[in-house]
Amino acid sequence: MRSCTPISHFAGTSSRKSLGPFLAMVLLLFFCTWAEAKTYRIGFAQSDTAESDWRKANTESFRDAAKELGIDLAFKDAGGKTDVQRRQVQEFIDQKVDVIVLSANEINGWDSVLLAAKKAKIPVVLSDRTIVLLPENQSKGLFVTWIGSDFRYEGRAAGAWLAQETAGHCNIVEIQGPVGAAPSIERGKGFRDVLGLFPGMKIIASKPGMWRADQAKEVMKKYLKDEGANICAVFAHNDNMAFGVVEAIEENRQLGLRPGKDILIVGVDGGRHGFELLIEKKLNALVECNPLLGKIVLKVATEVLQGRSFPPTMYMEDKVFTMHNAAQAFASRKY
Ligand code: GYE
């Protein structure tokens, strides 16, 4: 917040002449108090808080940061429905919020509502989820910046860890996120970037688990029945789906396979429960994806309103944690 120091050096000049400086000081003080008092109203269009532990932590980080920064946060949750989310963004435009923050449920179909935001002179900041605009709209500045994790890097990091752990020979089951969501698309591509270098590594089955443990568990139960001990590893696109995979393996007494030992499991997110399962050696590796975006995104949003410009993309830093280094890092985990 800019600092306002009263202009004291006006004291001691002649009376008529003294009115001018006095008025200037009063005006300046008025302007400063007005500026400091301005509370920004920011519309946050969240994709689906109920979809995962990650999303819950993400939503909380926005609520906490809004309180801390004195921001009036208008929050809407699309419940995983992209058409609902587009309508909610339009509602923010109609309500003339100062900025819109969008965590897009799916990558496509944002052109018309973002063109409407542009026409209404409401800046848009993308949080976490990337989008793909039509070629004719890509240079129209329909969003100020995107802040989040490099999903393709996360897929590559998971592939690289598995290639090293298996010396490049492994039959893999992939449990994806929803088809149209940026992290699923990019993590899948990144993982295949690495597999392309190792002919001995094959994806023998792949299906969406919708970010949820219960759905991933059902998918994994079927693959255990079809493939059984032929499965060397599972790549789960997020923590919650990795939890479902562990349960499915543990509950299949007939096969008697052990998660983390007979079947390797690598996931993405790296939340607290994920760390607990790394420490219990039921998960092998987690590529971190930090959900605590609230403060940085809301700070950037307010600075955009104060005329500051930002690079088009800003990446969070993510690391890889394994069953060998999780215990040391556990205490410092913030989510
Ligand atoms: O990996 C998953 C969440 O967009 C990075 O969405 C996020 C993903 C995260 O539901 O758990």
Side-chain angles (χ1 to χ4, degrees):
M1 194 62 74
R2 71 181 141 254
S3 61
C4 295
T5 47
I7 307 168
S8 53
H9 62 271
F10 279 108
T13 53
S14 72
S15 62
R16 192 167 51 72
K17 241 172 46 202
S18 67
L19 260 185
F22 172 71
L23 276 179
M25 188 166 68
V26 170
L27 275 176
L28 184 67
L29 277 174
F30 166 77
F31 172 75
C32 287
T33 7
W34 171 81
E36 278 185 4
K38 168 121 180 85
T39 300
Y40 293 121
R41 184 162 168 73
I42 297 184
F44 177 30
Q46 177 62 294
S47 59
D48 184 5
T49 299
E51 74 185 8
S52 65
D53 298 353
W54 190 99
R55 189 74 42 200
K56 280 192 199 71
N58 180 250
T59 294
E60 271 159 34
S61 77
F62 274 87
R63 292 193 191 286
D64 296 346
K67 268 199 218 102
E68 189 188 330
L69 299 171
I71 286 166
D72 173 6
L73 187 72
F75 178 83
K76 290 181 190 282
D77 192 300
K81 299 187 179 61
T82 311
D83 54 346
V84 170
Q85 195 175 33
R86 289 190 201 106
R87 211 175 41 244
Q88 291 172 333
V89 172
Q90 185 57 54
E91 287 162 10
F92 282 143
I93 296 169
D94 302 339
Q95 292 161 11
K96 297 189 175 33
V97 297
D98 295 310
V99 183
I100 292 171
V101 172
L102 170 63
S103 191
N105 191 55
E106 289 177 324
I107 58 171
N108 293 319
W110 292 101
D111 299 71
S112 54
V113 75
L114 295 193
L115 282 164
K118 177 102 182 154
K119 195 154 169 260
K121 296 192 172 24
I122 299 176
V124 173
V125 173
L126 299 180
S127 171
D128 155 46
R129 296 284 180 85
T130 48
I131 63 172
V132 175
L133 294 169
L134 297 170
E136 63 268 28
N137 293 327
Q138 283 169 7
S139 57
K140 290 185 179 162
L142 295 190
F143 59 87
V144 177
T145 185
W146 165 86
I147 304 164
S149 290
D150 183 341
F151 303 135
R152 191 142 189 176
Y153 155 77
E154 293 167 348
R156 288 179 180 152
W161 178 86
L162 195 55
Q164 193 177 12
E165 194 70 13
T166 63
H169 286 79
C170 190
N171 285 338
I172 303 155
V173 161
E174 179 188 33
I175 313 278
Q176 299 171 23
V179 173
S184 324
I185 297 166
E186 295 303 313
R187 286 170 187 165
K189 282 183 189 162
F191 190 70
R192 285 164 179 73
D193 289 343
V194 173
L195 263 59
L197 307 170
F198 298 90
M201 298 180 77
K202 291 188 185 58
I203 295 179
I204 57 173
S206 177
K207 200 166 187 210
M210 313 314 283
W211 303 128
R212 290 172 164 77
D214 54 356
Q215 299 199 32
K217 183 176 176 182
E218 292 315 306
V219 171
M220 190 60 195
K221 279 163 74 173
K222 181 175 175 315
Y223 287 144
L224 283 169
K225 220 156 92 256
D226 299 349
E227 301 286 343
N230 182 33
I231 301 171
C232 147
V234 177
F235 172 41
H237 283 206
N238 82 335
D239 277 8
N240 294 82
M241 295 193 291
F243 306 159
V245 167
V246 169
E247 276 180 40
I249 297 171
E250 286 185 328
E251 288 176 14
N252 188 318
R253 302 251 175 284
Q254 205 191 346
L255 285 170
L257 299 171
R258 297 158 300 169
K261 296 174 188 62
D262 306 313
I263 297 183
L264 303 175
I265 306 171
V266 53
V268 184
D269 284 352
R272 288 189 76 77
H273 186 48
F275 268 69
E276 287 161 353
L277 290 180
L278 283 174
I279 294 165
E280 288 173 37
K281 303 197 179 318
K282 291 183 177 177
L283 291 181
N284 300 82
L286 289 175
V287 182
E288 180 183 36
C289 180
N290 188 336
L292 308 183
L293 296 168
K295 195 165 180 180
I296 183 169
V297 171
L298 291 180
K299 275 195 158 196
V300 165
T302 51
E303 292 187 19
V304 165
L305 290 169
Q306 291 153 5
R308 191 166 161 204
S309 60
F310 290 91
T313 56
M314 293 195 278
Y315 287 104
M316 301 291 279
E317 197 210 339
D318 294 324
K319 300 189 196 71
V320 177
F321 292 92
T322 71
M323 53 172 55
H324 308 299
N325 63 9
Q328 297 105 294
F330 188 57
S332 63
R333 304 302 294 168
K334 294 197 183 67
Y335 59 88

